């Protein structure tokens, strides 16, 4: 019996299939909902900016496009802004 040889090109192409994209977008919508529900709100701009968008290789990204999103997500050491990990925590919650 021969050894199993996976077709890496076929496996990589799976992410572009309609059923996989539909599943990724459904999961992304849940992550976005959790992130928005847990986002800190001062003006609402950060919360309202959280959304899903298609990545270049078939992935679906959860992003915020406000200029201070990294400060909210990761915090700062010297300015006294604690990390909130809004998107990271939403991704973790979606795994369960």
């Amino acid at each position: 019996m021969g050894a199993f040889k996976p077709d890496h090109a076929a496996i990589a192409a799976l992410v572009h299939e309609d059923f996989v994209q539909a599943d990724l977008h459904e999961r992304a919508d849940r992550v976005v909902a959790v992130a928005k529900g847990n986002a800190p709100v001062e003006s609402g701009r950060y919360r309202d900016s959280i959304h899903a968008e298609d990545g270049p290789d078939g992935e679906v990204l959860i992003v915020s496009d406000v200029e201070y999103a990294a400060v909210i997500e990761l915090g700062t050491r010297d300015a006294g802004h604690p990390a909130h990990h809004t998107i990271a925590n939403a991704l973790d919650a979606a795994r369960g």
Side-chain angles (χ1 to χ4, degrees), residues 10-63:
I11 293 169
L14 279 174
V15 73
H16 300 286
E17 294 289 334
D18 290 341
F19 74 96
V20 174
Q21 283 296 304
D23 183 63
L24 288 174
H25 282 276
E26 181 181 312
R27 291 169 187 263
D29 289 344
R30 289 196 306 261
V31 172
V32 167
V34 170
K36 286 185 173 197
N38 292 323
V41 177
E42 199 166 297
S43 70
R45 277 186 65 219
Y46 172 69
R47 178 201 55 219
D48 296 344
S49 75
I50 298 170
H51 65 281
E53 59 185 48
D54 294 330
D57 296 320
E59 70 273 25
V60 179
L61 309 171
I62 309 301
V63 299

Side-chain angles (χ1 to χ4, degrees), residues 54-85:
D54 294 330
D57 296 320
E59 70 273 25
V60 179
L61 309 171
I62 309 301
V63 299
S64 167
D65 50 16
V66 295
E67 61 277 2
Y68 51 86
V71 172
I72 293 174
E73 187 71 14
L74 305 173
T76 61
R77 191 181 312 175
D78 55 352
H81 296 97
H84 196 273
H85 303 297

